[in-house]
Amino acid sequence: MSLTTLIWLFLIAFLLHDLEEIIWVGPWIRQNKTKVLQRVSPKVANRLQSMLRINSSQFGVAVLLELIVFIPFVYIAAEYSHYFMFLAFNTLFLLHVFTHVGQSLYLKMYTPGVVSAVCITLPYGIYLLYRLLSEGIVTWAEVFLSIPVGLVVLPIVMLGHELGRRLVPDT
């Protein structure tokens, strides 16, 4: 597979992973909110309260905003061979797998996104990283440097969730 194809496949991997979350987040929260709040410390429970009010449509707004941000950087990486921001997003996307696995292990239950994180995001991320490193396109130093840079996506996610709450009514 060409590297260009692999780069464009990020959008598919991202959408498949987030589609699992969009589909299951609303029903999962309705069914498990009380259990989750009981399993975490009161301090964590207070922080989770607002996050556990989101419905699937509101979550979808956040995913759409992320997708809109990712597309130009995927294009720049695929078509112009400028990889750093693409690498930053992908390094964070790969590390994100472990938050899903950790949540599921801690809560001892399925959490939305864990299946696609393990079955799609993890293999995609490992293979992409392997290709970028083995072809000399990036170095390990750049991979590690990209982690804090990738955190730029967090305010985008937070903004997306806030927009979702404002634009889509609670159900």
Side-chain angles (χ1 to χ4, degrees), residues 4 16 25 32-34 37 39 54 57 61 74 78 80-81 83 93 95 97 102 127 136 138 147 156 163 169:
T4 301
L16 289 173
V25 72
N32 296 295
K33 181 179 181 176
T34 304
L37 293 173
R39 288 192 180 163
I54 196 165
S57 298
V61 171
V74 170
Y80 296 102
S81 303
Y83 300 104
F93 191 49
L95 292 174
V97 169
Y127 184 64
V138 301
I147 294 169
I156 295 164
L163 285 173

Side-chain angles (χ1 to χ4, degrees), residues 31-102:
Q31 184 176 351
N32 296 295
K33 181 179 181 176
T34 304
K35 284 188 254 183
V36 169
L37 293 173
Q38 290 171 347
R39 288 192 180 163
V40 299
S41 72
K43 193 175 195 176
V44 173
N46 285 339
R47 288 183 154 177
L48 284 178
Q49 286 289 351
S50 66
M51 291 174 64
L52 292 174
R53 285 195 326 253
I54 196 165
N55 64 42
S56 293
S57 298
Q58 292 166 335
F59 191 89
V61 171
V63 171
L64 176 60
L65 182 60
E66 286 177 79
L67 180 65
I68 289 167
V69 169
F70 291 157
I71 289 171
F73 292 102
V74 170
Y75 176 77
I76 290 166
E79 303 302 321
Y80 296 102
S81 303
H82 296 288
Y83 300 104
F84 189 73
M85 284 306 293
F86 174 76
L87 174 66
F89 292 143
N90 272 277
T91 305
L92 206 64
F93 191 49
L94 179 59
L95 292 174
H96 177 68
V97 169
F98 301 101
T99 64
H100 280 288
V101 172

Side-chain angles (χ1 to χ4, degrees), residues 138-156:
V138 301
T139 65
W140 276 110
E142 290 170 314
V143 171
F144 290 119
L145 180 62
S146 77
I147 294 169
V149 174
L151 293 175
V152 73
V153 80
L154 294 180
I156 295 164

